[in-house]
Amino acid sequence: ALPPPEPFALALRVPYEDAYFWMIDKPAPLPSSSSYKKEGPTLENALYAYAGCPEGFVYRPVNRLDKGTSGLMLAARTAHAQHLLQRLLHGSEFIREYLAVVEGAPPQTEGVIDLPIGKADGATIRREVRADGKPARTYYRVLETLGGRSLLRLRLDTGRTHQIRVHLSALGCPVAGDFLYGTELDSLPGRFALHSALVRLRHPVTGEWIERESPLPSELSVLLRRE
């Protein structure tokens, strides 16, 4: 058996939990999962501590967020619940909406970015729009434009790695502070202006609809006020 994670006491915001899963409001920059390569706090450690360091704890993320992305994500309590939730992930019964502050503005106030995404040649994590990539669709709506930046609300139709970041960069308005697909910002150390703002899902066991929202963090909303 794997050793238990190191507990990490972090004041986690958990907007919803039951016997099947937790819905966590992940801060950024915080890695979702522990790994042998990275030492230090992760959401995995923090959830282990939050749950009371139970014996036999296994971290079962349902939808992962990049280290630099904040907001709502799910972790299942059991392998069965994880399986049921992951089956819902890219259908109409699991809706995820994001807020992003981007540089500039998209060409239209709302639309769909329908561009295939694949791994960039020779890269380990970097993705790019490419003809031989997997289909990827992102819906967006501009909420406001101020001081050379825009606030967008986005909904994923597919869940490719770095999908929103790659799509917005391809549109010519990269996520503010995105060190991989745009330009790093000193005011956002280790993170960028992407936030998982809403999760709405049909509970795979009880059938009830559950919806939670997370407001845009202050360090991101302030980006819209700077001239």
Side-chain angles (χ1 to χ4, degrees):
L2 290 170
E6 282 283 318
F8 172 62
L10 177 76
L12 267 193
R13 199 174 92 81
V14 182
Y16 179 86
E17 61 180 298
D18 62 18
Y20 303 98
F21 65 89
W22 294 276
M23 193 188 294
I24 307 141
D25 200 340
K26 183 184 92 66
L30 183 72
S32 292
S33 303
S34 304
S35 78
Y36 295 111
K37 295 179 204 159
K38 293 186 215 100
E39 288 204 348
T42 66
L43 187 65
E44 180 174 341
N45 309 129
L47 186 60
Y48 176 57
Y50 174 86
C53 304
E55 201 173 325
F57 175 85
V58 177
Y59 179 60
R60 297 182 174 92
V62 176
N63 61 312
R64 292 169 194 268
L65 295 178
D66 294 327
K67 174 183 171 180
T69 304
S70 54
L72 300 172
M73 63 170 275
L74 269 63
R77 285 180 182 262
T78 67
H80 182 56
Q82 184 184 34
H83 173 70
L84 293 176
L85 287 160
Q86 284 181 329
R87 271 174 43 188
L88 293 181
L89 250 185
H90 303 298
S92 59
E93 296 188 339
F94 198 120
I95 292 140
R96 291 173 289 159
E97 292 186 0
Y98 291 77
L99 290 170
V101 179
V102 302
E103 301 292 354
Q108 291 155 322
T109 53
E110 61 181 276
V112 58
I113 310 165
D114 194 346
L115 296 167
I117 291 174
K119 209 175 240 191
D121 292 331
T124 49
I125 58 163
R126 190 182 170 86
R127 302 298 197 270
E128 64 185 9
V129 169
R130 49 190 301 153
D132 62 352
K134 291 179 176 169
R137 278 175 308 283
T138 306
Y139 295 90
Y140 74 88
R141 190 169 85 249
V142 179
L143 302 181
E144 62 174 316
T145 299
L146 201 65
R149 295 192 175 112
S150 303
L151 177 64
L152 272 56
R153 192 162 190 104
L154 306 119
R155 185 163 55 81
L156 291 176
D157 198 34
T158 51
R160 307 297 171 211
T161 301
H162 299 175
Q163 178 172 320
I164 289 174
R165 299 163 65 190
V166 172
H167 271 171
L168 290 175
S169 180
L171 212 57
C173 51
V175 174
D178 191 338
F179 34 85
L180 199 56
Y181 303 104
T183 308
E184 199 166 349
L185 287 177
D186 290 341
S187 63
L188 296 179
R191 73 157 306 170
F192 36 84
L194 183 59
H195 181 70
S196 172
L198 176 142
V199 171
R200 181 170 187 262
L201 73 148
R202 187 192 283 276
H203 197 296
V205 179
T206 67
E208 67 175 312
W209 281 95
I210 293 156
E211 181 176 309
R212 293 292 184 274
E213 290 194 61
S214 170
L216 191 68
S218 56
E219 70 266 26
L220 304 190
S221 53
V222 75
L223 296 171
L224 289 159
R225 293 199 287 273
R226 288 202 184 127
E227 290 302 315

